[in-house]
Amino acid sequence: QVQTVASGGGPVQAGGSLRLSCGASGRTLGRSVVGWFRQVPGKERDFVAAIRWSDENKNYADSVTGRFTISKDNARSTVYLQMDSLKPEDTAVYYCAADLSLVSLRRTPRSWGQGTQVTVSS
């Protein structure tokens, strides 16, 4: 199993940028897909982006394609989510998680941890 911890959120104005970090650790990290999700109170948690550790294959939600970029740093075992051209509708708590496939990552119930709040003001 891979443990993850999200950080880097904060307040930002619309049009601005923010970079989130997801520290990852665990024996299966090299075979895992690490992804970002976000949730607004009262709504379901939505998939944002994911990266496969082994070959850096990336997937994005339509709503963030062209604005957000997911990447990783092997030495730091960290996955980043660079968020540019932020919009008020990007306001949410952002979570990261890892699993052995993108399908499992998106479908398997899990304990999500604290997440990191991103607040975009207009």
Side-chain angles (χ1 to χ4, degrees):
Q1 262 189 327
V2 174
Q3 290 76 44
T4 56
V5 179
S7 63
V12 63
Q13 289 194 329
S17 298
L18 206 59
R19 189 179 77 163
L20 305 183
S21 299
C22 176
S25 62
R27 293 176 56 191
T28 58
L29 179 58
R31 297 187 283 117
S32 295
V33 176
V34 181
W36 286 95
F37 296 76
R38 64 187 182 186
Q39 188 172 28
V40 175
K43 295 190 176 181
E44 291 189 354
R45 186 174 283 111
D46 291 329
F47 170 76
V48 175
I51 185 169
R52 189 160 56 200
W53 199 269
S54 60
D55 62 4
E56 298 194 22
N57 181 267
K58 301 172 185 179
N59 287 271
Y60 295 95
D62 290 344
S63 59
V64 306
T65 297
R67 300 188 299 121
F68 290 11
T69 303
I70 192 168
S71 63
K72 69 178 179 69
D73 183 327
N74 288 335
R76 289 180 169 82
S77 295
T78 299
V79 170
Y80 300 103
L81 185 68
Q82 177 66 40
M83 305 186 295
D84 299 319
S85 302
L86 281 161
K87 305 175 181 180
E89 52 263 44
D90 294 317
T91 295
V93 178
Y94 284 71
Y95 302 86
C96 64
D99 215 314
L100 293 179
S101 72
L102 182 60
V103 171
S104 296
L105 182 65
R106 297 184 65 167
R107 293 184 179 177
T108 302
R110 66 187 73 249
S111 173
W112 286 95
Q114 242 181 335
T116 187
Q117 175 72 47
V118 173
T119 303
V120 184
S121 58
S122 57

